[in-house]
Amino acid sequence: MRLKLMRGKPQAQPDFLTVINLNQSVPANHPLRAIKRQVDGVLEKLSPLFDELYAGAGRGSIPPEQLLKARVLTALYSVRSERLFCDQLGYNLLWLWFLDREFSEGSFDHSVFAKNYERVLSADVAQLFFAEVYDLSRQAGWTSDEHFTADGTLIESWASLKSFVRKDGADEKKVRSAKGEDPGNPTVDFRGEKRCNATHHSTTDGDSVLYRKAKGKEAKLTFGAHLLMENRNGLCADFTLHNPIAEPEPVMALRQLDTHAKLHRGVAPKTVGADKNYHQKHFISGCREREVIPHVACKTGVKVAGLDGRTTQQSSYTTSQRIRKRVEEIIGWIKTVGGLRRSRYRGLERTQAWGYFVASTYNLLRLARLGAAA
């Protein structure tokens, strides 16, 4: 015998006022709860800094804590723009709860981000936020203070290759003519011309340089990005943007080791793993001067003083070479989920600030997973 069910009917949304408890709407085991607790703890430490940045009287602003939390959500949920984030914030209950905004408050205007680039969302504040997040992992005992991995990558600039013109203004007439034909997307023909950083620059983003990662790869307007990873759980210890021509990766690796040891009390690097690009005399000798053992992958047929069989035949060298591959996971997450494959801002400083927030979000996600596993 076939059982017949009564047809359910949809209920029209009421027009009168309803009360929503955002905290009860979020499940108790939601992974964002652990991240929120960590972020709230970091922002509480930074609260005295925010007090110095704002006047004691006047019209109230959007709380700086909400702007920094918005940065975390933007990276965590791969939101492509600040305008889109503000559009979705108005009806996303989970995001409103994370930002500690009432449902009746809704969203705020996207121009708030642009007005705070030089204050709350600056590279200095972003670096402090990143350092405090990393300190959380050190307090929990999930990071190594002795063993690290260094690696670099490239971040594409927001500028187009069409903006890469001669510094002496010889291409100005050509560009102006192309814009006259199609102002929105001009076609500028540079076929047969040799362009290099010595004679050309980008009129859109002067901080970017024309560079290629390796032979056979196409040259693009890029920033260099260098990472320092601790080897215990693969957390990002430092993330720095730089000029890849003026400051090569081996130079940045030594600088990050020095900066990391000064910034965090108790850090004393003993080993640093790296790929073949770091198999250079300057880097090996720099590590030896700092009493750091260079666990660097060796180029075939190339000998560098300070790195021989006495180092490469140790079991610790094999361990470092195995663990150093995890730095690619950080780079992959930052570029795909974090949306930093290509910069969404002009200039090195704003891109650096966004990079710190993306790297901080990666560490927060790792901390939440480590905490759940523990």
Side-chain angles (χ1 to χ4, degrees):
M1 182 176 180
R2 191 173 180 179
L3 180 65
K4 292 186 177 181
L5 299 177
M6 180 179 177
R7 177 185 174 183
K9 296 183 179 180
Q11 296 287 336
Q13 294 292 332
D15 294 332
F16 53 85
L17 180 66
T18 60
V19 179
I20 299 177
N21 189 323
L22 295 180
N23 190 47
Q24 291 183 355
S25 302
V26 180
N29 59 347
H30 197 284
L32 206 58
R33 282 190 177 273
I35 296 178
K36 186 177 186 298
R37 287 194 297 269
Q38 294 162 354
V39 174
D40 288 341
V42 169
L43 294 178
E44 185 177 355
K45 292 182 178 180
L46 296 180
S47 182
L49 172 63
F50 299 146
D51 292 338
E52 297 177 1
L53 297 177
Y54 287 86
R59 183 170 61 90
S61 66
I62 301 297
E65 292 84 356
Q66 294 184 3
L67 296 179
L68 268 64
K69 285 183 177 182
R71 283 293 196 236
V72 174
L73 290 176
T74 301
L76 193 61
Y77 287 91
S78 306
V79 185
R80 67 176 183 268
S81 68
E82 295 159 353
R83 185 185 294 268
L84 179 61
F85 175 84
C86 291
D87 288 344
Q88 295 187 7
L89 178 62
Y91 54 82
N92 194 317
L93 300 184
L94 181 65
W95 291 5
L96 288 170
W97 165 81
F98 188 83
L99 264 61
D100 291 320
R101 289 182 67 85
E102 295 292 339
F103 179 74
S104 58
E105 291 183 283
S107 183
F108 44 79
D109 193 84
H110 65 89
S111 63
V112 172
F113 290 102
K115 295 176 181 178
N116 284 274
Y117 283 149
E118 298 179 359
R119 184 170 50 180
V120 180
L121 303 178
S122 66
D124 293 336
V125 175
Q127 185 178 17
L128 286 175
F129 182 79
F130 174 82
E132 291 293 343
V133 170
Y134 188 78
D135 270 340
L136 289 178
S137 61
R138 294 189 67 228
Q139 294 169 10
W142 288 330
T143 60
S144 173
D145 291 340
E146 299 177 345
H147 307 288
F148 298 90
T149 295
D151 199 6
T153 186
L154 295 178
I155 304 298
E156 293 184 31
S157 168
W158 183 80
S160 168
L161 278 174
K162 296 178 182 180
S163 69
F164 196 65
V165 297
R166 295 187 65 87
K167 296 179 180 179
D168 57 9
D171 293 331
E172 185 176 352
K173 183 177 179 181
K174 181 192 299 185
V175 175
R176 190 185 308 112
S177 176
K179 288 185 177 180
E181 297 176 0
D182 187 357
N185 188 20
T187 302
V188 186
D189 186 11
F190 293 104
R191 186 181 298 274
E193 298 183 19
K194 183 179 180 180
R195 294 192 289 174
C196 63
N197 294 289
T199 57
H200 292 65
H201 72 126
S202 172
T203 56
T204 303
D205 191 344
D207 293 338
S208 61
V209 295
L210 189 66
Y211 191 76
R212 62 180 180 180
K213 183 68 174 176
K215 294 182 179 180
K217 298 289 185 179
E218 69 277 16
K220 298 180 180 180
L221 289 174
T222 59
F223 303 110
H226 200 272
L227 291 90
L228 188 68
M229 180 191 76
E230 61 81 29
N231 286 359
R232 179 169 297 171
N233 282 297
L235 291 164
C236 183
D238 200 354
F239 182 83
T240 308
L241 295 187
H242 62 104
N243 184 325
I245 299 176
E247 302 170 314
E249 292 178 357
V251 174
M252 291 301 303
L254 295 175
R255 184 184 302 175
Q256 285 186 330
L257 287 173
D258 294 339
T259 303
H260 190 65
K262 292 178 180 179
L263 187 61
H264 302 280
R265 182 179 300 177
V267 172
K270 291 186 177 180
T271 67
V272 55
D275 56 27
K276 295 181 179 180
N277 188 43
Y278 298 79
H279 191 210
Q280 303 178 16
K281 180 180 179 180
H282 171 74
F283 180 71
I284 301 300
S285 61
C287 289
R288 294 300 183 183
E289 292 174 1
R290 293 164 174 79
E291 298 183 353
V292 177
I293 302 175
H295 288 171
V296 179
C298 300
K299 297 179 182 178
T300 305
V302 178
K303 294 183 178 180
V304 177
L307 182 61
D308 51 32
R310 290 172 294 181
T311 299
T312 58
Q313 293 178 5
Q314 297 292 326
S315 59
S316 58
Y317 175 86
T318 305
T319 302
S320 291
Q321 284 298 301
R322 175 177 54 83
I323 293 178
R324 74 169 178 84
K325 299 176 183 178
R326 296 190 65 179
V327 73
E328 300 294 343
E329 299 178 10
I330 303 178
I331 295 175
W333 192 95
I334 286 176
K335 287 190 173 184
T336 55
V337 180
L340 199 55
R341 180 188 64 83
R342 184 176 185 179
S343 176
R344 62 183 69 181
Y345 304 105
R346 298 186 188 185
L348 185 64
E349 184 177 359
R350 289 188 179 181
T351 306
Q352 174 69 84
W354 174 234
Y356 277 133
F357 284 121
V358 175
S360 301
T361 305
Y362 175 84
N363 284 346
L364 287 168
L365 187 60
R366 292 284 296 130
L367 288 175
R369 291 176 178 175
L370 290 172

